Structures are given as structure tokens and as C-alpha cells.
Amino acid sequence: MATSVVLQKVEKRYGALDVIHGIDLKIDPGEFAVFVGPSGCGKSTLLRMIAGLEEITGGALLLDNERMNEVAPAKRGIAMVFQSYALYPHMSVYKNLAFGLETAGYKKTEIQPKVKRAAEILQIEKLLERKPKALSGGQRQRVAIGRAIVREPRIFLFDEPLSNLDAELRVQMRVEISRLHRSLGNTMIYVTHDQVEAMTMADKIVVLNSGRIEQVGAPLDLYNNPANRFVAGFIGSPKMNFLQARVEQVGEAETTINVCGNAVRLPRRLKAEAGQTITFGIRPEHLSVLENNGITLATVNIDLVENLGGATMLYAKTPDAQQLTIALDGQQKVERGTNVKASFDPTRCHVFDASGTAI
Amino acid sequence: MATSVVLQKVEKRYGALDVIHGIDLKIDPGEFAVFVGPSGCGKSTLLRMIAGLEEITGGALLLDNERMNEVAPAKRGIAMVFQSYALYPHMSVYKNLAFGLETAGYKKTEIQPKVKRAAEILQIEKLLERKPKALSGGQRQRVAIGRAIVREPRIFLFDEPLSNLDAELRVQMRVEISRLHRSLGNTMIYVTHDQVEAMTMADKIVVLNSGRIEQVGAPLDLYNNPANRFVAGFIGSPKMNFLQARVEQVGEAETTINVCGNAVRLPRRLKAEAGQTITFGIRPEHLSVLENNGITLATVNIDLVENLGGATMLYAKTPDAQQLTIALDGQQKVERGTNVKASFDPTRCHVFDASGTAI
Amino acid sequence: EDARLRLIWWGSQPRADRTNKVSDLYKSKNPGVSITGEFLGWGDYWPRLATQVAGKNAPDVIQMDYRYIVEYAGRGALAPLESYMPAKLNLDDFDKAQIEGGSVNGHLYGVSLGANSAATVLNTTAFQEAGIELPTQATTWEEFGKMAAELTKAGKRKGMFGMADGSGAEPLFENYLRQRGKALYTADGKIAFGVEEASEWFDMWNKFRESGACVPADIQALDKNDIETNTVSLGKSAAGYAHSNQFVAYQQMNKDKLALTNYMRVAKDSKGGHYRKPSMFFSVSSQSKVLDQAVDYVNFFVKNPDAATLLGVERGIPESAAMRDVVAGKLDDVGKIPLEYVAGLGDLAGKLPPPPPSGAGEGELTLRNIAEQVAFGQVTPADGGKQLVDEITRILARG
Amino acid sequence: MTNGITSAIAAPPSDITKRSLPASITVHTLLILGSLLMLYPLLWMVSASVRPENEIFSSTSLIPSSIDFSSYLRGWVGLDISFGRFFWNSLVISVLTVIGNVVACSLAAYAFARLRFAGRNFWFAIMLGTLMIPYHVTLIPQYVLFLNLGWVNTILPLVVPKFLASDAFFIFLMVQFFRGIPRELDEAAMMDGCSAWRIYWKIMLPLSLPVLATAAIFSFIWTWDDFFGPLIYLNDMNTYTIQLGLRTFVDSTSASDWGGLFAMSTLTLVPVFFFFLFFQRLLIEGIATTGMKR
Amino acid sequence: MTNAMRTTASGAVAVEHYHGAVADSRFRRLWNANAPGYLFLLPWLLGFFGLTLGPALISLYLSFTDFDMLQSPGWVGAANYVRIATADPKFASAMSVTLTYVVLSVPFKLAFALLVAMALNKGVRGLPVYRAIFYLPSLLGGSVAIAVLWRQLFARDGLVNAALANFGIEGPSWISHPSYSIYTLVALSVWQFGSPMIIFLAGLRQIPTDMYEAASLDGASKFRQFYKITLPLLTPVIFFNAVVQTIDAFKAFTPAFIISGGTGGPINSTLFYTLYLYQEAFGNFRMGYASALAWVLVLIIAVFTAFSFLTSRYWVHYDD
Ligand SMILES: Nc1ncnc2c1ncn2[C@@H]1O[C@H](COP(=O)(O)OP(=O)(O)OP(=O)(O)O)[C@@H](O)[C@H]1O
Ligand SMILES: Nc1ncnc2c1ncn2[C@@H]1O[C@H](COP(=O)(O)OP(=O)(O)OP(=O)(O)O)[C@@H](O)[C@H]1O
Ligand SMILES: [Mg+2]
Ligand SMILES: [Mg+2]
């Protein structure tokens, strides 16, 4: 049933501009793969190449081990949600949704329940007669999703499908897409900038950066064991803190590093030598300002407090003037300009060498 | 310098369809107002009416106490980031950014540094010579932001300006927009679906629902004291849990309600009568599964566990088969199907009457 | 059905009606023959005919003009008819000169359907109003120039001049040359006049123009060589130049009473400028598959009294003396005028000139062109004359 | 028809271009003046058609001294075959041409604008090249061709080429417009499993309604007005088109009936005018880029 | 759906295995890549090869002959072309008349058409009526009536002079004066600006309204919007109109034919190139020479057009 997707040294050049630099990737049949990466790193381009909308400049794309580079998009059995929606402006929402089914030769009577079902899921039943022009941004996006999900393709490609939806709807849609994935069992590739989506939906997250893969892995893997500084910084929100540090001493099961002027003992051996400059990484949510809660990192001075209701962000400066973000639970009364002692859980910290590789 | 924006009974009809039902709103000079609301509730329409792009069907729009209904958009001194970007396809990114300045009669030599500065902020310096066609979704969105911020208008309107950016960039842009607001001091109206943006940037959040205002207030106000069930559900992510409950006894400083089959004492007086059906609301982050952590709500059965890295979501069922979401810190090992005892902080819970009003 | 005849001619609906009736008559006498006729206006006729001939799809019977007969015959598009004479094509009572007019290089290619002659159209009302006598057969150009100038000066009608500017009109120029003993072209297709005559011609018209006898150049240039745009029809002049068979049409267009007279004499005693010209022919296509039938039809057309009655003088006065008698009695007053005019030319008429050589069409345009250059003052009469001779010599050399 | 006009008039103008009262008075004044300038010659023609014959050329005024509709009757039956027949012939040819041009040219234009194939630029250049040849010189070879096909004296030579996209003008026109339709719509359709044909039929055509209407208008009017083609290919008067009939009506070496000519010219204008009015309603708002983020 | 998909997919595999050969799959690839394009082009290709190419080639061949339409053509080599280049003063004069016409009529016509199209685009009541009125002159095409109408306007006692008389100017008969007649034809061409106007209208309709919204928020005046948004986004249509109108003007025949009664007068002042060509072909039976003239014209137009296409990439904006 489900289809595997394999990229072999896939490259993309626009004229002289290389945007994808040779990507090797295997997505197993039925897998839910999420592409994440900074804006402009090539996620959409990759999707479009898989869909066949963009010529593959180099390398091969295999679907179910068949080379697909030259196969027409319509023949690949792929459904896609476009980042720009690309709704048919002359068709009503209903027609937009039904179009793919009509194309596939379904009968009117078969199409109607499918479209109705999709419209219900997406909460756009009342809009079925409208043209895209008369829809709000989020409604358009839902139609775009609908257009993909009414069909039962081999592969689904979603390009930031929920970016314009409100939080509640987004959760619902996330659940629906996951459910769809479970029930159809087909392969899905999903681009998102939303951490929660990536973490909750993915079987496998692919982290892209400037047209290269930085790391591929299960969500918690990436969160807990980022292969490098880029992934560490990219996965998790708010972003991981990175502090300049120096190795002081490398022991058997313990390493001492100097960070923020303090000697800190990490309970593991690092692949590093004394004196080496390293980057010390700690996630804001793994920092605490309570006493006796792990190892003290430093006494920091609060620059800014953001109260998010369910959490409080402290933006602080370390004694050696490095930025530090601390995420606290709930609404905390912390004053700007005060000093607090930041401590961390030593099992939760990360260390990267000069090239950014986790050590 | 800064301009006040006043809406008086503003209405919008598309043909027979009412989308804005008479909105009264006052935004003070220099204020940062954030519009939130479900997809399709009329946020963009409202912005477009303020900008003058959409005719105002009823009511009045005052800028600095001057009626503006009939004033041409170009004369209102407004800059706007369109939800659909609306970049000029025939102009390079540079030209897109410079267009407003050129229009305003700035000299080339004045324009260049401004554009360069904006491009730096938005990290699109390298794209200045490209046409919008050759940009990624996020890059386009940044150009759209850039086009607004190079100018110094009386009022900024942002329609979901960061929806297509990755988390890191989004934080940076948020900071930049806040900084811009501080430095220019002009009035800003900002539409977003992002809770964090709304909470951190707003002086005032306006919660819209189907063309009506549900509540206006400071961010934490809305979080802590939602006026009604809709606002309570809309502000905060994940969404507040709503449970069917019944008032058992109303005392002087204490009310006993029955929720999930348990009698629960709330340490305040409710405007309700014994026997009345009410909705009990509690945010996932205010629920806990630890012992002795507030009042016990119920023993719930775990349906689904989502591990987000920094937090863990439990989706559970109460004994009377109501849905309950619990947000836990960090990565928790909770098995599906197990029972846990959920407890809550009674000062943090909300109660709504049948009409949804907070009591 | 043993024969299918195709006919083509230019003309109007009345002509078509008459022609079709003749065809019907012919069919009734020749069962088994079917006839289809096509007709068009003059301007559109020639491209269609040329295309059909070039496509080897020419109609069997083709109405031909004096101008084009050499072009078509010389290029083998028409069938020589002399071998049918006299048994099948009986032109006994035709004017010999008219038969010659339809001959090229000694072969007969066209049977004349009627004769006409160049003529001056006079607006008698305008002359009367100005109190000026009409010109007579004896009037010379010089005299006429004075009369015309007077008429202009009388100014009874706004914007009306004495006469049209005929400097670019080929028939007028030819008439002038013939009166001086020259011609446009020789029988072997060479130029038959010199710089002197041409220059004097242009000079004469320059004087008319200066004296106000004739219309200014820009008004003359409106004349597109048809009845509607003739300055007499437009009310710009009291006299204009035409062909006798057009008289009825001219009169129809004009409220005033018109008359016909000859082209003026160059000198009191000069003569022979006019000639009876075959106004149009019937030719038979050399591509025709039913040659005999076509010739028979043509013969019927020009020799059958019933046909002649049907046709009247619509195509000119019949060449056959017998037929002429048949139709003469049936004309109304206006219809009689051209008939009488041609009959009364007397010494003014001379021999029919040989059919113009190929290139004559271009020659006519050249005359008009240079005449206009002179008229608009771009070229002196002397240079104009020289240019005209050079140009025409060149055109004829090219063929 | 009238319904269409009034509804178009009643449709509210878009907000952005809504004008203030003085501005709209200015606009209308200018437009009306312009209209008069455009119309004078035509009004003159109409008035000439109801004037006494001898007055036609002697007056520049529009108001005839007396009105006389006899020209219409005279013109209508002025030829052996009534003008009704010519109208019908013209109508048949014009309608077929409209269909042929719109269908065949849009097919070719779609290929040129959207499909990738070897030699595309070459063929495009050739196509443009065909636009440049003066038709007078290909007339005879073409005539011979049609003659050999046995098509002369039928409407086939006038109609069949249109179904073979012989009119490069329309191809080029449509190419320019098709290129304005966002490619992402094609791509979306491809993802929906559409073949090139279906994209053309379901996406391209509906979205290019304005240009299709333009092509239809032009095809109709130009065919209606065409004279040379019918002149060469239609020999039998029963098959004459309106223009050919009109021209035959005026014979330059015999008397002509100008009143009748103007009457018939005026009548000739009526169908094209209504065709225009009807089809120009399709020059609707382009919608191709709504429903899209860009 | 999925089922169907798989059968086609596996079907394709089967076919490839069966044939096996590499050359074959290359053929398939070529076929897949090119077939749709050529299928869509098929009607045109049929028309081109069946109806257009033959006659065009024959006319090219005829341009090297002395074809007179009535006799079979005789080969004369490049003689016709040599004559055009060296010994035909009328060629030069016709070319210059035509160039004048092109240079004057095309820009004015386009400017006019665009202007009116803009005025008629939106927000005017009674739009369809105005549109129809402004298109009316073009409806007339090249009918006989035009000649008469134009004379009514531009003759000595025409309407134009009547108007000028109010200013004490006594004008000549513009239409029949060699110094002015060409301008009356230019005026005719400009007057019949309907077709480019309609095309502009259709083009204006395709410009997304949000462009104007963005521009008006950027403070752009109506004029600036026109200049900076409308014009650039309309360039594909402007380009089309410019190219087509130029080609048309080079080939202009009917106006001169009708107005001058086919003579090109006075003094060849309206002897357009194609009118000359027509005279040569159908008046003087020099079809061979006319063909040569035609191909010279094709060459000249082609150079113009190629030049337009080359420059177009610098100023024409395509959205795709
Ligand atoms: N032209 C129109 N005709 C009819 N209804 C319209 C039109 N434009 C918008 N609407 C409707 O008006 C409502 C408000 O739309 P609006 O774009 O303001 O929503 P929004 O709050 O911005 O939503 P989103 O978050 O999805 O962008 C929607 O329900 C939409 O369907
Ligand atoms: N037609 C083009 N020509 C040149 N460069 C292009 C073109 N299209 C895209 N690019 C560049 O390729 C890179 C990858 O683009 P892509 O759309 O894949 O990014 P993305 O990862 O989807 O980003 P986003 O999250 O912003 O949507 C970008 O830097 C973009 O500027
Ligand atoms: Mg993207
Ligand atoms: Mg919106």
C-alpha cells in the first residue's frame, strides 16, 4: 500500500544558484516525515521536486524504488498542499475539493460524500459555494488542505499547511491529519515551522539547513541528542542557550568546564582536550532560578521579563555578558534588573566543539 | 506623533453576508493592539477597512478623531503587511522595499540606507536583486514586512506577518517589531494566531469572534480573567479544559461544585445558584499529576501522550467521559491506558454559566 | 447535361438582370446547357479574374476591357476566335474597326459588346446660371478655358469651378495627342508622343489652373476615376470628362440637367481626336472545356434580336448594325443622348488606335502621377513632360 | 441583452476606483465628447442612409432635410438575391470562424505558453513569421491548393483554416495572456492528476475568459468585415457574404445607389455591434491571482 | 484511485522490462516529454504544413521568377531582388510612405487605445455602452463607407475645415493633398483604435487588484500607480499590441486602397508598400516581382520583430 521515498544525491540549481546540495534521504513506506529548517533552506523546493513540479538538476528520486525523475507529476500519485494555496480561483470551494476526484473519474455520487466529509473535518461546510476570493486567509488554507485530503494518493506532501490557522483549529487539524495518516497508512511529508507539530506528528524529523540535511531522527532524539549546534538551536522553542566555554579538565566520567567564569562539573566524559574552546548549550526550560535545583550556572542579571500566562521568559545577561534565556513555569514575578541565580540540570546540557559538532 | 484609531459601530457586509457586526474599539496613540480570533472571524477585514481597502458598510472610522471613511488609502498614512503579501511581481526585492519611499519623494541616497537597514533586520540582504518569484515563502513574507517597515507611517497594520517564518526568525522579527514600535512610537495593529506573539507584543489584545469583539484587555488580564468561555478557550495554548459541572452549594466565601462526580470546593463565591449547570474551566498547565498539588479533580485515564521535549501533553478521559488535557513539564514517562490522579490549583480555575459568561 | 457554361462580368444588378435573362433565353433554346454567371464591381472584378485564370479555373466567357485584352490575350489566357468566323461567329454587320479593336497580333480575342466614346459632361444648369453659352463642337481648348474661367468668376455656386482638371486623364490626353497627329502608343507598343507635346499639355493645364478655369489640384485629386467622385458629380466643376455610356449614370447622380459634348479642339481645324471605342468585349477563355458552346453563346449574345432587346444599350450601342436598329427605337430621352453623341461626332472621330500594350495600366498611373506633381507645383510642365516620356519609355521597355 | 447591459451598469464599481462626484462628471464629460468624435462619421452614415440621394454628398450636417427609409428597402432587394441571404452566409462563416479560432488558437497558444517540448521556440518564430507575409502573394498558390481540394465556391477555404489555427494573431494574443496566469495553478492541477489536456480545458480556458472573449469579438468582426477572402473563393452569388454583396452593390462603372449602400452598411453594422455588446461582457475582472499567496 | 495509480505505475514497469532496450526507453522519454506539446500544436501544424507553408514557399519561389499569373513562371534568378535594390524608385517611395505610417500611427494608436482603455476600465457607469461606442469605428473596418466618411471629414469643405474656419484658418483638402494625405490615413488608423483598446482592457482586467491596494497604501497616486504598476504589469499586452500593430501597419493595405481608390495618390503620397505590391501583382501582372517585394517586406518586418523580441526581455514582465 504505502510507498517509500528515496532521494539519492538530489540537487537543485536555479541557474548558477545551488539551493539543494545533494541530499540523500530515505523515507519508509507509511512513514510521517517532517521537514524543518530555516526559511529559505529548500524545504518547499524539495517537496516540489518530489512532486515533479521542479526539475531535478542532479541525482535521483525513487518512489517504491522506481526512478521518477522524468515521470509527469500527474502520474506520480501524489497530493500536495501548496504553501501558496494555489486554489482554483474560478471554482467554488466545492469544485476545488471535487476537482481531483472528478479528474480521477469518480462519479458525482461518490464525490459528494467525500467532499462533504473533508469539509466537515476542515469546518468549511458553510463555505462550499463560495469562490476563493471570498475566503479569509485561514479558510483558503483549509481549502488547500481539503483539496489534498479528499484524494487517496500514494504520498501526501504538506507545505506549512497550518501556518494561517488559529491555535485551536491548528490542534484539531493536526489531530485530523494524524488520524488520516493512521487510517490511510500512506507516506506523508510535512513541512512546518511549528515545533509542536514537528514533535507530535513526526515519525522522523529531517532538519535542513541551506540545502543540506543536518540531522534525521525521531523527534525526541533530536530534542535530546542533537548532532550539532544547528539542530540543537533549531529544535525546541524557545531556542537553546549557547554559552562560550572552555574545557578545564577531562576526566574518566567527568569533565570540568569553565562557563560564565564558573567551573562546572559535567558528569560525563567529553571528546575534548583541556583548554579547548567549546560551546555550552542549555535549553531555557532546563534552567531554573530555584535554589537547590541542579548545578548553579551563574548569577545573572534580568534584562527583560515576558509573561506568557502559562510560562514566564526571563532574558538575562551572564556575568561575562552572554545572553541567557530562562523559561519558567507559570506567571512569575521577577523584576527587571534584579539578579537571580540560574541553575541547571547537568544531565540536560549539551556541549559542542568549535565546528559545532556535539561532543 | 502617534495616532489614535477609533472604530464606531463599524460594520461590513458582503452582499447579504454580514461579516463585521458593529464594532466599537478605541486604540490609543502609540498603542500596540493585537487582534486575535478564529480563522474567518473578520480580522483581516477589519484591518483592510482601517487601511481603506475595503469600504466600510456602516459606522465610522476615526483616525486622530477625524472621520476617515471616505479618505483614500494613500492619504491615511498607513503601512500594512498583507496576509497575502501582495508583492510587486515585476520589481526586485530592493524595488519592492524602496517603492513607498520613492513615492514619498525620498532621494536615492536617502532610500538606500533605509532599505539596506530593513534588509539587514529581515536577513534578506542577499536577495535584494531577486524578483519575488524566486523567493521562498518565508522570504516573501519578510519582504512584505520590509515594505511596511521602511516607511514611517502613522499606523502600522500587520496581518499575520510572521506565520511563515521559522521559530528562531520569528523570535527575532518579533523583537525587531517591538523595537520598531518603541523607537517610532506609532500605533500598531497586529493580527496573529501565535499565542506567544500576542502575549509578548501586545499592549492590548482584542479578541474577535464572528465579527464581534469578545473582550479587550491586557494580555495577562485575558489569560487570567477571561470574560467568557470563548476568550478563555481562545487565549492560552493548549486550550483550556472545559468540564460540565453543577453547583452544589454557594457559600459566603466558598462554593462547592460537582465536577467529574467529585464535590470540589472553590475558595470564592460564585454568582450562581445551587443546582445550576455550569462549565468548569482549567488550563492544562494548571493541572498536575503529582500528589498534594492542589485539589484533586479526578482520576483520569490516559488516552494519548505527546512528548514535546520541553513539555509532555497528556490527553485523558475523566470518569464521566469528558476530555481532559494535562500539560506537564519536561519529558514524562506516562503510559497510555494508565490512570493518574489529576489535581489542580483552585485559585487558577474558571467557572462559566450556561451563556458562557465567567462567574 | 452536355455543357456547363460559366460567365463572368463586371457591372451592376440591372446589367446582371439583363444578362441573366439572355442566358435563360439561350438555355431555353439549347436544352442541356447550364449557365452560371458571376458578376462583380469593376475594382473587384480584376483580382478575382486574375486569380481564377492563374488557378486555371477561369470562366468560359469573360467580359474583357479594352485595357486588359492585350494583357490577357498576349499571355495566352484567351482563345483566338477567328477560326469560328463566320459560320459559328457571325460578325458580318460589325464595324470592321471594332472587330480589329478586339484583335491582338492578328487574332480575334474579343467580341465587342458595344461602343462608346470619350466625352465632356456639361452641367447645363450651371452654365445657364452663369450666363455662359455651352461649348460647341467647334470650341477650342483656349476658348473653353476662358469660358470656364468666367464661369468660375461668376461664382454663382460656392466652390464650383468651370471645369475639371483633366491633365491626368488619359483619354483626354490621348485625344489631345491624336488631334496633334500623335498617339499614346504605336501599334508595336512603343511610345508615340514626345516631350514637346507632353510639356505643352501640362503647360496648358497650368494656365487653366492659374486662371481659375479648372479646379485646384487638391480637389481634382479627390477624383478616383469613377462617377461618384467626379468633380461634376461632387458639384465642384461645371464640366468634366467621362465616357458616353456613363451619361445615364451621371444624370442620375445630378439634380441639374447634364449634356454631353466632345473634348475640345486643340485648334480650330484639328480633328480626329475621338474614336469609337469598344467599351467592353466578350472573350472566351483558352482554358474552356466547352469552347464551341462558349462561342455559340457569345454569338447569340451579340446577334440574337431577342437578346439585343433584352440587353438594350446597357453595355453600349450594339456593334451589329441589325441589332443597333432593334434597340434604337426603344430608348428614352436621356438614353438617346449618348447614342446621338457618338453618332454625331463627325470629323472629330478618327481611326481606332491599336489596343494599348501591356504596361499601359502603369502608364496611366504615371500620367496621373506626373500631372499631379505638376498641378501641385512640384515639377514644371517642361520637366513633367520629360519625366512622362522617360517613365513611359522605361515602363514599355520592361513590358 | 438589455438585461446584460443594465446589470453591468448596476454592478457597483469597485471601491478603489470609486470617484467623487466632480471627478466622475469630468470623466463622463470627456467620455461623451470622445464618443461624439468617434460617432460623428457613423451618425453621418446613418443619416445618409435616410436622406434623399442627391443630398448625401452636399452636406456635412447630420440632420437630413427629410427622412426617407426607402433606401433600406431598395438596398435590401437591390440585388438579385436579397441581403437576408448575405447576412445569413456571413453569419454562418463568422460563427464557424469564431469557434475555429477560439478552439484551435487556444490549443496552440497553450502549447506555446505552457508546455515544454523540443523546438518550441523554433515553431513560435515560424508562427510569428506567418503573421508577416502579405496575403496578396500567397493568395494564388492558396487558391490553387483549394481548387485542387475542390473547395472553391464553398465556404471551406474561409472556415477550415481557422480550425487549423491559421490566424497567428490569435495564437500570439493568447500566448501573452496565458503567460499571465500563475503557473502554480497548473501545478496544482497536475497534482490533482490532470493531464495537459484537462489543465487546458479546466484551468486555462476558464481563467482566460477575457482574452477568449476578445478573440471571439475580433474573429467575428474581422470575418464579418472580410472582403478579399470571399471575393476570391465565393463565386456563386448565393454564397456571397454581406461585404461582397455590398461591394457588388456599388459598381463603379455604372450608376450606384449610395443611399442603398449606406442603408446596407448601417444594417451590416447592427449584428457586429450586438455581437460586440454581448461578448464584451465577458471582459470581466481577471481572477487568476486571487486564492493565492504571492 | 490508488489502485488505478498502481496499475499504471506497475504497468509502466512491465512495459519497460518487456522491451528492455535502453534506446527504447529513451524514445519513450522523448515521447513523454514532447508528445503533449506537439499534440496541442497539431491543428496548427496541420494548418501550417497543409495550408500555409506550401503557398509561402511557392511565393518565395515565384519571387525568383517572372510569373505574370497567366503564363507559367520562368526562372530569373535574383533579378527581381536586384531590381528592388537598384532600379525601383517606387520601392523607396512606398517604403518611406509605409515607414512614416508605421512610425506615426502605431504609437499614437497604442497611446490612444491605452488611454481610453484606462478610462473605460472601471468605475464608470454605462461602461459597456461607452466601450461599444469607442469600438464602433473599428467595426467599420475597411468598408467602402469609410472612404466616403473620410472625405466628408477631410475634404476642402469637410468638417475639419469647417471647424478650422472658426479660427480663421482655411485648410486645404487634406485628404487629397500630397503633403497631408498620409496624415489623414494616420488619423484613420488612430481613429480605429478599437482592437488594441479591447486587448488592453482584457489585459487591465488581469492585473491583480491587490497590487493597487499595496501601491495605494504605499502612498502612490493614481498616476504613479498607472506608471509603476499598470504599465509594467501590462507590458506583455503592450508588447503584443506593439508588435502586432507594427506588423499590421507595415502590411496596411485597405485604408490606402479604399481612400485613394487604389491609386496610392495623390503623387504616390499614399502608395503604401502593400498597395504598390498589389498594383504590381494584379494591376501590372508582375506577380513574380510582387512576391519579391513581399519577401523583402517580410524580411524587414522580421528584423523589426526580432529586435522587439530581443529587447522585450529588458522591459516585458511575465508573471509565470
Ligand atoms: N469578498 C468576500 N465575500 C464574502 N465573504 C467574504 C469576502 N471576503 C471575506 N469574506 C468572509 O468574511 C469573513 C472574514 O474574513 P477575514 O478575511 O476578515 O477573516 P480573518 O479573520 O482574517 O481570517 P483568517 O485568520 O483566516 O485570515 C470570513 O468568513 C470570510 O469568509
Ligand atoms: N526560481 C528561483 N530562482 C532562484 N532561487 C530560488 C527560486 N525559487 C526559490 N529559490 C531559492 O531557493 C531557496 C529555497 O527555497 P524554498 O522555497 O525551498 O525555501 P523554503 O525552505 O521552503 O523556505 P520557507 O520556509 O521560507 O518557505 C531559497 O533561498 C529561495 O530564495
Ligand atoms: Mg517554503
Ligand atoms: Mg485574515
Side-chain angles (χ1 to χ4, degrees), chain A residues 222 226 228-236 240 242 283 350 352:
Chain A
L222 297 191
N228 54 42
R229 192 179 149 157
F230 178 83
V231 176
F234 200 80
I235 299 288
M240 184 184 282
F242 293 111
R283 296 191 187 278
H350 305 263
F352 308 96

Side-chain angles (χ1 to χ4, degrees), chain A residues 14 17 19 38-45 83 160 193, chain B residues 127 130 133-139 164:
Chain A
Y14 288 110
L17 194 75
V19 295
S39 171
C41 70
K43 304 178 294 294
S44 300
T45 307
Q83 190 169 13
E160 305 188 25
H193 287 309
Chain B
L127 310 174
R130 293 217 199 139
K133 199 168 75 180
L135 299 180
S136 80
Q139 289 164 342
N164 284 84

Side-chain angles (χ1 to χ4, degrees), chain B residues 239-295:
Chain B
K239 192 188 163 185
M240 183 185 281
N241 293 296
F242 295 112
L243 299 170
Q244 293 283 3
R246 201 161 27 76
V247 178
E248 296 214 321
Q249 199 184 332
V250 183
E252 264 309 285
E254 209 182 64
T255 313
T256 312
I257 63 170
N258 185 312
V259 56
C260 301
N262 293 344
V264 174
R265 280 215 195 116
L266 302 181
R268 59 184 166 124
R269 184 190 166 85
L270 292 182
K271 281 179 248 92
E273 281 163 32
Q276 189 181 334
T277 307
I278 54 164
T279 303
F280 173 81
I282 181 81
R283 296 191 186 278
E285 59 265 37
H286 297 149
L287 284 166
S288 149
V289 292
L290 302 178
E291 301 288 335
N292 303 325
N293 210 330
I295 304 175

Side-chain angles (χ1 to χ4, degrees), chain A residues 82-198:
Chain A
F82 286 72
Q83 190 169 13
S84 62
Y85 316 153
L87 303 182
Y88 307 124
H90 57 300
M91 298 183 193
S92 67
V93 170
Y94 183 93
K95 280 277 171 197
N96 261 283
L97 297 183
F99 187 66
L101 296 173
E102 282 173 7
T103 304
Y106 283 88
K107 291 204 203 72
K108 271 230 169 73
T109 48
E110 295 169 307
I111 294 175
Q112 200 162 24
K114 282 174 196 269
V115 171
K116 248 194 92 198
R117 172 91 194 90
E120 262 164 37
I121 292 176
L122 299 162
Q123 304 173 22
I124 49 174
E125 303 105 302
K126 290 206 183 116
L127 310 175
L128 284 175
E129 292 316 308
R130 293 217 199 141
K131 295 265 172 77
K133 196 177 140 182
L135 298 180
S136 80
Q139 289 164 342
R140 286 180 197 180
Q141 193 164 35
R142 280 178 274 164
V143 177
I145 301 173
R147 203 167 53 177
I149 66 174
V150 286
R151 294 171 51 214
E152 287 169 22
R154 299 202 287 178
I155 303 171
F156 272 118
L157 307 178
F158 293 95
D159 201 346
E160 305 188 25
L162 309 179
S163 58
N164 285 86
L165 304 184
D166 56 281
E168 183 174 354
L169 206 49
R170 197 182 285 215
V171 172
Q172 292 171 12
M173 292 304 128
R174 207 168 84 198
V175 172
E176 287 297 342
I177 291 175
S178 292
R179 187 186 328 234
L180 192 75
H181 179 227
R182 271 200 310 280
S183 72
L184 292 181
N186 47 9
T187 311
M188 292 198 177
I189 305 179
Y190 191 103
V191 171
T192 184
H193 287 309
D194 186 298
Q195 295 284 336
V196 177
E197 283 171 32

